[in-house]
Amino acid sequence: MDFAYDAKTEELRTKLLAFMDSHVYPAEAVLEQQLRDAADPWERQPILEELKAEARRQGLWNLFHPEHSDGVTNLQYAPLAEITGRSPHLAPEALNCAAPDTGNMEVLTMFGTDEQKKQWLQPLLDGEIRSAFCMTEPEVASSDATNIATRIERDGDDYVINGRKWWSSGAMNPNCAIFIVMGKTDPDAERHRQQAMILVPRDTPGVTVKRAMHVFGYGDHAHGGHAEIEFADVRVPASNLISGEGEGFAIAQARLGPGRIHHCMRLIGMAERALELMCRRATSRVAFGKPIAAQGVVHEWIAESRVRIEQARLLVLKTAWLMDTVGNKGAHTEIQAIKIGTPSMTEWVLDKAIQAHGGAGVSQDFPLAELWAATRTLRLADGPDEVHRMSLAKRELKKYL
Ligand SMILES: Cc1cc2nc3c(=O)[nH]c(=O)nc-3n(C[C@H](O)[C@H](O)[C@H](O)COP(=O)(O)OP(=O)(O)OC[C@H]3O[C@@H](n4cnc5c(N)ncnc54)[C@H](O)[C@@H]3O)c2cc1C
């Protein structure tokens, strides 16, 4: 067993670390300023476009996609995504590796027709447009995807869509041109064959982006927000259906595996950044006659953070290796394990880093509060913890039944 990164990974890491230092970290304050000054905070900020151009020029582009990144594997991508997680509002999008576009590009790569790829995949790969994935609905418990109630009904050469979605990440951004919408084509079919996915251009009549959901009060402008969207008699050509009627559930499953590991890779970067900030702060302030870092309780937080981060990283890397060697299905248990373990690990480290900062930890002067909010949502998004635990436990129990 070799725990070292291979030569290609090391080369890309070196390049990416330099890009983070020279371009991304200095851009964090610029992005904040541009968002504050913007007439419309949902418009793309110029700093993002500058970073994208530079990342592309340096060959740090679409690294998540093996066919469009010189064949970077999941195992090679994991340490790179981790680095981008240190600045989650800027770095993933700068490299065109941000959710939900990555998952949507994977769906179009795996299931799209040539025409769908030309019209939607190519501009996404080029970073010209963005996309949203519309599955969750306000009216039903959407952690059980078979509850999804939006209707996709065939009418001549078209499909007609009616329903309401929320938490469609990225959809507040006017440059988010295409929605992948999940709905039911046949409510009477077998439970997992009722659903389909369909491409709905944002400007189709009947599509109304109603409002932005807040996350602990944050608008999440840099990520294009999380929209509630109404679909009222929305008519699109039948050729917009992805794969076929009844395939929606299977496509959702195929989409979520890689999406989940990408989140976990970035979460490790967030935890590393939190630990770094905790150590810097604790060594730079004195309370009750000694540096905060000299308090036993702070040693405990720092040591425990390092242990938890290393444990999570090893499991994420093993999962990435399994996905490369036996496929996403073969890595199913590990994908669930990291989706359960990594957000709560990062949440724990962030909580301790916030505590070590005192009031500054929850303020706008440090990224910790916003990172904590983003991390907490990942115990819900892409499936709540409890659903992954249920499914993992069932698999484990199967061995004994
Ligand atoms: C920031 C953010 C971004 C998101 N982005 C997107 C997106 O881009 N596209 C999209 O479609 N959705 C998105 N979501 C939605 C997310 O995927 C859903 O919130 C999630 O799947 C849960 O669905 P729900 O909110 O309907 O909760 P419900 O299904 O109502 O579940 C509520 C709670 O019930 C409990 N529960 C459910 N099932 C079980 C069980 N079997 N055992 C024990 N307890 C259980 C869990 O604690 C769960 O949290 C996002 C959510 C957030 C917060």
Side-chain angles (χ1 to χ4, degrees):
M1 205 177 289
D2 186 355
F3 286 98
Y5 297 137
D6 65 12
K8 184 172 182 174
T9 310
E10 281 299 2
E11 189 194 320
L12 285 166
R13 278 186 81 241
T14 306
K15 217 193 249 189
L16 180 54
L17 286 167
F19 178 71
M20 295 291 290
D21 285 338
S22 59
H23 290 84
V24 177
Y25 298 129
E28 287 179 347
V30 180
L31 176 70
E32 249 178 58
Q33 190 61 46
Q34 289 185 351
L35 283 169
R36 264 197 300 273
D37 295 345
D40 176 0
W42 300 117
E43 288 285 349
R44 284 301 68 193
Q45 303 310 321
I47 187 68
L48 259 167
E49 296 309 317
E50 286 166 32
L51 286 178
K52 279 162 68 174
E54 182 59 24
R56 193 164 194 180
R57 201 185 60 73
Q58 294 196 19
L60 295 167
W61 191 251
N62 288 335
L63 294 170
F64 76 99
H65 201 308
E67 286 169 41
H68 297 277
S69 65
D70 191 18
V72 174
T73 64
N74 284 298
L75 188 58
Q76 290 168 328
Y77 179 57
L80 307 173
E82 175 185 325
I83 294 168
T84 66
R86 294 176 61 92
S87 186
H89 297 318
L90 277 171
E93 189 174 342
L95 274 59
N96 211 35
C97 289
D101 293 332
T102 46
N104 294 339
M105 287 188 259
E106 277 157 358
V107 164
L108 287 167
T109 303
M110 284 185 286
F111 304 102
T113 61
D114 287 346
E115 188 49 39
Q116 289 169 348
K117 286 181 186 169
K118 194 168 139 219
Q119 199 176 359
W120 301 114
L121 177 60
Q122 199 52 52
L124 281 168
L125 285 166
D126 290 338
E128 286 166 5
I129 60 166
R130 297 213 62 194
S131 60
F133 182 67
C134 310
M135 183 169 95
T136 304
E137 299 180 359
E139 311 300 345
V140 295
S142 304
S143 52
D144 176 356
T146 61
N147 281 340
I148 295 307
T150 290
R151 289 302 316 271
I152 303 175
E153 290 169 284
R154 184 82 192 224
D155 182 28
D157 291 338
D158 299 330
Y159 279 101
V160 178
I161 301 143
N162 280 288
R164 202 148 65 91
K165 300 286 182 181
W166 70 351
W167 293 108
S168 299
S169 297
M172 295 306 297
N173 171 1
N175 195 33
C176 177
I178 187 71
F179 302 152
I180 295 184
V181 180
M182 184 166 171
K184 281 191 177 161
T185 38
D186 181 3
D188 299 321
E190 185 272 315
R191 250 180 111 225
H192 298 102
R193 299 282 312 162
Q194 298 174 1
Q195 305 80 6
M197 294 220 189
I198 195 154
L199 288 157
V200 180
R202 178 196 198 86
D203 55 7
T204 313
V207 173
T208 312
V209 177
K210 304 283 279 187
R211 61 170 176 157
M213 309 307 299
H214 291 181
V215 174
F216 294 110
Y218 290 111
D220 223 354
H221 294 102
H223 286 145
H226 311 278
E228 179 174 339
I229 308 174
E230 188 178 72
F231 297 86
D233 290 328
V234 174
R235 187 173 283 273
V236 295
S239 57
N240 281 25
L241 199 73
I242 302 175
S243 188
E245 292 191 9
E247 298 295 330
F249 199 87
I251 299 173
Q253 290 306 108
R255 183 187 185 283
L256 286 172
R260 285 170 183 149
I261 193 171
H262 294 167
H263 279 312
C264 292
M265 294 164 175
R266 287 188 291 263
L267 280 162
I268 291 170
M270 289 190 216
E272 281 286 6
R273 187 153 190 206
L275 176 56
E276 180 186 323
L277 289 169
M278 172 155 57
C279 293
R280 288 191 192 287
R281 183 76 171 182
T283 47
S284 70
R285 279 165 81 91
V286 172
F288 301 98
K290 54 182 175 182
I292 288 171
Q295 300 290 349
V297 68
V298 177
H299 285 170
E300 177 75 19
W301 295 341
I302 290 170
E304 186 64 25
S305 297
R306 174 51 64 213
V307 172
R308 292 185 188 211
I309 292 171
E310 295 298 328
Q311 286 174 336
R313 180 185 287 116
L314 281 177
L315 190 50
V316 167
L317 289 172
K318 179 190 170 192
T319 308
W321 171 77
L322 278 173
M323 288 168 78
D324 291 335
T325 50
V326 294
N328 297 354
K329 272 205 176 123
H332 192 269
T333 300
E334 285 74 11
I335 291 174
Q336 284 185 318
I338 57 170
K339 181 61 178 60
I340 295 163
T342 317
S344 43
M345 176 281 289
T346 304
E347 186 189 299
W348 190 92
V349 176
L350 278 161
D351 184 73
K352 299 300 173 257
I354 287 171
Q355 196 68 14
H357 278 71
V362 294
S363 78
Q364 73 275 35
D365 287 355
F366 288 86
L368 295 166
E370 214 168 351
L371 289 179
W372 187 90
T375 299
R376 182 64 185 83
T377 68
L378 285 171
R379 294 186 49 209
L380 297 163
D382 282 2
D385 289 356
E386 294 76 15
V387 174
H388 292 296
R389 285 180 195 277
M390 173 186 72
S391 164
L392 199 153
K394 277 187 183 164
R395 265 176 180 255
E396 201 67 25
L397 285 167
K398 232 186 205 167
K399 298 177 198 164
Y400 305 95
L401 293 173

